[in-house]
Amino acid sequence: MQVSILTLFPEMFPGVLGSSLTGDALEKGLWNLNAINIRDFATDKHKTVDDTPFGGGAGMLMKPDVVEAALLSIPAHQRGKCLYMSPRGRPLTHAMALELADSPALTILCGRYEGVDQRVLDAYDFQEVSIGDYVLTGGELPAMVLLDAVLRLKPGVLGNKATHDEESFYDGLLEYPHYTRPANWLDKQGQTHHTPAVLLSGHHAEIRQWRQNEAEALTAERRPDLWEAYKQRKNNKITGQS
């Protein structure tokens, strides 16, 4: 996958994406990164990339002509889907990550100040994406979050497809709890914590059922929205509805 980042701070990349599994995948060429400094495309002597908004209001807006020039520096066949990280965008979900992982290329625009002139977003069909209902100082961190969610789905990055199949959201449920050695753990407060006996039983069918029950209980408790959607899909499957 070819990834192009339009940013005023290219030195932020690859950042955390250069470490661990995504970093290994970058070194192996499973994805490529091109961090483009938008300021390089400003035409005045002060390298101005922003201006005051028409109609008044606080803050500054990134200029459409400068953003466009930065975007067009990327060959058309390497742009792929164009994304703009924005609190007002479509929420990032696992389903969206799967959709984006199928794209051979992504171009991500990282806004600063009050954002970007709407005209350039419309002209080049940028899809706005949000990582949550809060505001950050820029789009660089959200871009890294999005890319981590997407890149781990690319073949060879995690190495084991079964890892995907058991994660939260894969089947619409939150993931069940995990336990490892020691089976009985004594914490520093003097309390002993036991691993559920079924996980030590060796009965794989019972373990699968326990995990399913735990995933359903956690989802119903913590994410009623996901739980209702899961129940509806399950009911539709039983009744043969699409």
Side-chain angles (χ1 to χ4, degrees), residues 103-119:
S103 178
L106 295 176
T107 295
I108 305 178
L109 172 58
C110 302
R112 283 275 162 172
Y113 316 118
E114 279 299 300
V116 177
D117 188 300
Q118 184 65 40
R119 292 170 294 180

mmCIF file of all heavy atoms in Angstrom, residues 103-119:
data_model
loop_
_atom_site.group_PDB
_atom_site.id
_atom_site.type_symbol
_atom_site.label_atom_id
_atom_site.label_comp_id
_atom_site.label_asym_id
_atom_site.label_seq_id
_atom_site.Cartn_x
_atom_site.Cartn_y
_atom_site.Cartn_z
ATOM 1 N N SER A 103 -7.719 -0.783 -0.404
ATOM 2 C CA SER A 103 -7.252 0.223 -1.362
ATOM 3 C C SER A 103 -5.742 0.091 -1.559
ATOM 4 O O SER A 103 -5.003 -0.068 -0.592
ATOM 5 C CB SER A 103 -7.589 1.626 -0.852
ATOM 6 O OG SER A 103 -7.098 2.609 -1.744
ATOM 7 N N PRO A 104 -5.252 0.177 -2.791
ATOM 8 C CA PRO A 104 -3.814 0.088 -3.022
ATOM 9 C C PRO A 104 -3.062 1.337 -2.589
ATOM 10 O O PRO A 104 -1.844 1.319 -2.445
ATOM 11 C CB PRO A 104 -3.706 -0.113 -4.533
ATOM 12 C CG PRO A 104 -4.948 0.517 -5.084
ATOM 13 C CD PRO A 104 -6.008 0.269 -4.053
ATOM 14 N N ALA A 105 -3.786 2.444 -2.381
ATOM 15 C CA ALA A 105 -3.142 3.702 -1.992
ATOM 16 C C ALA A 105 -4.105 4.549 -1.177
ATOM 17 O O ALA A 105 -5.327 4.503 -1.372
ATOM 18 C CB ALA A 105 -2.690 4.475 -3.226
ATOM 19 N N LEU A 106 -3.546 5.308 -0.249
ATOM 20 C CA LEU A 106 -4.315 6.259 0.555
ATOM 21 C C LEU A 106 -3.554 7.574 0.606
ATOM 22 O O LEU A 106 -2.332 7.581 0.751
ATOM 23 C CB LEU A 106 -4.515 5.747 1.988
ATOM 24 C CG LEU A 106 -5.348 4.492 2.202
ATOM 25 C CD1 LEU A 106 -5.327 4.111 3.685
ATOM 26 C CD2 LEU A 106 -6.782 4.689 1.725
ATOM 27 N N THR A 107 -4.288 8.671 0.505
ATOM 28 C CA THR A 107 -3.719 9.993 0.723
ATOM 29 C C THR A 107 -4.465 10.630 1.876
ATOM 30 O O THR A 107 -5.704 10.722 1.843
ATOM 31 C CB THR A 107 -3.841 10.875 -0.538
ATOM 32 O OG1 THR A 107 -3.056 10.305 -1.585
ATOM 33 C CG2 THR A 107 -3.356 12.289 -0.261
ATOM 34 N N ILE A 108 -3.737 11.046 2.909
ATOM 35 C CA ILE A 108 -4.369 11.587 4.114
ATOM 36 C C ILE A 108 -3.929 13.023 4.324
ATOM 37 O O ILE A 108 -2.733 13.314 4.417
ATOM 38 C CB ILE A 108 -4.012 10.740 5.349
ATOM 39 C CG1 ILE A 108 -4.384 9.270 5.112
ATOM 40 C CG2 ILE A 108 -4.731 11.283 6.582
ATOM 41 C CD1 ILE A 108 -4.015 8.350 6.251
ATOM 42 N N LEU A 109 -4.908 13.920 4.390
ATOM 43 C CA LEU A 109 -4.667 15.338 4.633
ATOM 44 C C LEU A 109 -4.818 15.623 6.121
ATOM 45 O O LEU A 109 -5.859 15.325 6.708
ATOM 46 C CB LEU A 109 -5.652 16.179 3.819
ATOM 47 C CG LEU A 109 -5.686 17.679 4.083
ATOM 48 C CD1 LEU A 109 -4.321 18.319 3.844
ATOM 49 C CD2 LEU A 109 -6.759 18.341 3.220
ATOM 50 N N CYS A 110 -3.780 16.176 6.720
ATOM 51 C CA CYS A 110 -3.791 16.512 8.141
ATOM 52 C C CYS A 110 -3.969 18.019 8.297
ATOM 53 O O CYS A 110 -3.072 18.792 7.949
ATOM 54 C CB CYS A 110 -2.489 16.078 8.806
ATOM 55 S SG CYS A 110 -2.134 14.316 8.644
ATOM 56 N N GLY A 111 -5.122 18.426 8.780
ATOM 57 C CA GLY A 111 -5.398 19.843 8.955
ATOM 58 C C GLY A 111 -4.718 20.416 10.190
ATOM 59 O O GLY A 111 -4.304 19.698 11.100
ATOM 60 N N ARG A 112 -4.612 21.732 10.199
ATOM 61 C CA ARG A 112 -4.130 22.492 11.363
ATOM 62 C C ARG A 112 -4.972 23.749 11.462
ATOM 63 O O ARG A 112 -5.829 24.010 10.623
ATOM 64 C CB ARG A 112 -2.643 22.842 11.212
ATOM 65 C CG ARG A 112 -1.713 21.671 11.493
ATOM 66 C CD ARG A 112 -1.418 21.543 12.983
ATOM 67 N NE ARG A 112 -0.902 20.231 13.339
ATOM 68 C CZ ARG A 112 -0.428 19.942 14.548
ATOM 69 N NH1 ARG A 112 -0.399 20.866 15.501
ATOM 70 N NH2 ARG A 112 -0.003 18.720 14.822
ATOM 71 N N TYR A 113 -4.742 24.549 12.480
ATOM 72 C CA TYR A 113 -5.499 25.778 12.704
ATOM 73 C C TYR A 113 -6.992 25.434 12.856
ATOM 74 O O TYR A 113 -7.336 24.500 13.546
ATOM 75 C CB TYR A 113 -5.251 26.798 11.578
ATOM 76 C CG TYR A 113 -3.796 26.917 11.184
ATOM 77 C CD1 TYR A 113 -3.366 26.607 9.904
ATOM 78 C CD2 TYR A 113 -2.845 27.312 12.128
ATOM 79 C CE1 TYR A 113 -2.027 26.703 9.541
ATOM 80 C CE2 TYR A 113 -1.495 27.407 11.780
ATOM 81 C CZ TYR A 113 -1.095 27.107 10.490
ATOM 82 O OH TYR A 113 0.221 27.189 10.147
ATOM 83 N N GLU A 114 -7.871 26.196 12.158
ATOM 84 C CA GLU A 114 -9.308 25.908 12.221
ATOM 85 C C GLU A 114 -9.731 24.867 11.194
ATOM 86 O O GLU A 114 -10.895 24.488 11.136
ATOM 87 C CB GLU A 114 -10.110 27.197 12.001
ATOM 88 C CG GLU A 114 -10.243 28.065 13.228
ATOM 89 C CD GLU A 114 -10.957 27.354 14.362
ATOM 90 O OE1 GLU A 114 -12.125 26.952 14.194
ATOM 91 O OE2 GLU A 114 -10.339 27.187 15.434
ATOM 92 N N GLY A 115 -8.793 24.441 10.360
ATOM 93 C CA GLY A 115 -9.121 23.440 9.364
ATOM 94 C C GLY A 115 -8.703 23.858 7.972
ATOM 95 O O GLY A 115 -7.773 24.638 7.790
ATOM 96 N N VAL A 116 -9.424 23.333 6.970
ATOM 97 C CA VAL A 116 -9.058 23.499 5.564
ATOM 98 C C VAL A 116 -10.236 24.119 4.811
ATOM 99 O O VAL A 116 -11.397 23.810 5.085
ATOM 100 C CB VAL A 116 -8.695 22.128 4.944
ATOM 101 C CG1 VAL A 116 -8.391 22.250 3.469
ATOM 102 C CG2 VAL A 116 -7.511 21.517 5.688
ATOM 103 N N ASP A 117 -9.929 24.988 3.857
ATOM 104 C CA ASP A 117 -10.956 25.572 2.994
ATOM 105 C C ASP A 117 -11.796 24.455 2.370
ATOM 106 O O ASP A 117 -11.258 23.521 1.768
ATOM 107 C CB ASP A 117 -10.292 26.410 1.904
ATOM 108 C CG ASP A 117 -11.275 27.218 1.076
ATOM 109 O OD1 ASP A 117 -12.152 26.601 0.437
ATOM 110 O OD2 ASP A 117 -11.157 28.457 1.059
ATOM 111 N N GLN A 118 -13.104 24.555 2.522
ATOM 112 C CA GLN A 118 -14.021 23.501 2.078
ATOM 113 C C GLN A 118 -13.895 23.203 0.590
ATOM 114 O O GLN A 118 -14.109 22.069 0.145
ATOM 115 C CB GLN A 118 -15.458 23.896 2.402
ATOM 116 C CG GLN A 118 -16.493 22.838 2.080
ATOM 117 C CD GLN A 118 -16.339 21.576 2.921
ATOM 118 O OE1 GLN A 118 -16.056 21.659 4.122
ATOM 119 N NE2 GLN A 118 -16.522 20.417 2.318
ATOM 120 N N ARG A 119 -13.535 24.205 -0.199
ATOM 121 C CA ARG A 119 -13.543 24.027 -1.654
ATOM 122 C C ARG A 119 -12.561 22.970 -2.139
ATOM 123 O O ARG A 119 -12.855 22.218 -3.072
ATOM 124 C CB ARG A 119 -13.285 25.376 -2.335
ATOM 125 C CG ARG A 119 -14.437 26.366 -2.161
ATOM 126 C CD ARG A 119 -14.051 27.748 -2.631
ATOM 127 N NE ARG A 119 -12.996 28.323 -1.776
ATOM 128 C CZ ARG A 119 -12.480 29.544 -1.985
ATOM 129 N NH1 ARG A 119 -12.886 30.276 -3.000
ATOM 130 N NH2 ARG A 119 -11.552 30.010 -1.171
#
